[in-house]
Amino acid sequence: MKLFSSVHDVPDLNALVTEALACKQNPFAAQHLGKNKTLGLVFLNPSLRTRMSTQKAALNLGMNVMILNMDKEGWALELQDGATMNGSTVEHIREAAAVLGQYCDIIGIRSFPGLKNREEDYSEAVFNKFVKYCGVPVVSLESATRHPLQSLADLVTITELKTVARPKVVLTWAPHVKALPQAVPNSFAEWMCKADVDFTIAHPAGYELNESFTPGAAITHNQDEALQGADFIYVKNWSAYEPYGRVLPGNEDWMLTNGRLAVTHKAKVMHCLPVRRNVELADDILDGPASVVILEAANRVWAAQAVLKEMLSTI
Ligand code: CP
């Protein structure tokens, strides 16, 4: 694997989940693979889980790790081809990516969307330019439209905890105080549509995701109906795709509380974190037995380790 940017880069989903669970059982079994290899983690946006879990995964594989918080510590990046750089940008992504590729055997990059220009965000301009110019294998640490390491960890968590062969998984929209990207729900939907699960998406009218990410999913505006018989509930806010990046008024009653779980099949509640308590999810869920958010975050290590292991075996 030379690129991990979406579920479409994964030739065998079950094999990758099995590999992640094998890494969890025996974290240091492949330390030889990463010897004298360097992972560069480049962040254009904040992170807690992605940064620490991917670093830990690489260390488990014997790799060296270098981290650059490019938004704070790097030069201001120019992205436009043909730009006359007489303004605030100092370094073009062509040189920045190519130079980082000289120092690293694998690079991870995080690049959030601006949520202003849908065509630009959905073209993945920053991520794709970085891939094009760095010249080494690239792992997405969350791009404008997807968060594949999170989605793999989510599928690992569901695989570990499921009590029926084909669980019902519900992705439900949740309220938030600001406009958030569609990357996590897009990505989760894309992975669930390929996994062996019964998948439903519930959101208020106006929060339809781009349908290319949701092939075959059941989609409803009725949260209570969606929750009936659910084995897993994935809670996440996202801003509208149309009008792009907007938060629509109302819908505060979409926050999940313990009372709403009564109709489920003893559902486990998931969230990628960070979570706004008592806005997106009530304390009574986060602090109760239904929540699996910490296990989900822990599984980020094994997801990243499985992906890095695949990449190391090809370089
Ligand atoms: N879930 C997730 O990606 O967390 P961070 O933004 O803290 O990395």
Side-chain angles (χ1 to χ4, degrees), residues 111-140:
S111 156
F112 286 175
L115 291 180
K116 299 274 186 282
N117 181 329
R118 188 171 78 186
E119 283 62 43
E120 192 175 297
D121 288 346
Y122 272 70
S123 75
E124 292 285 7
V126 180
F127 183 82
N128 287 337
K129 281 182 181 165
F130 204 88
V131 171
K132 183 174 175 184
Y133 297 121
C134 75
V136 296
V138 174
V139 181
S140 167

Side-chain angles (χ1 to χ4, degrees), residues 46-51 110 142 147 150 272-274 300:
S47 171
L48 187 160
R49 280 143 290 273
T50 304
R51 174 182 171 138
R110 166 165 283 198
E142 188 172 343
H147 195 355
Q150 179 67 53
C272 64
L273 304 180
R300 292 291 306 272

Side-chain angles (χ1 to χ4, degrees), residues 171-174 180-181 184-185 234-238 270-272 280:
L171 165 63
T172 181
W173 184 91
L180 296 190
V184 169
Y234 198 93
V235 178
K236 186 73 185 84
N237 170 268
W238 63 89
M270 305 175 71
H271 190 289
C272 64
E280 291 177 86

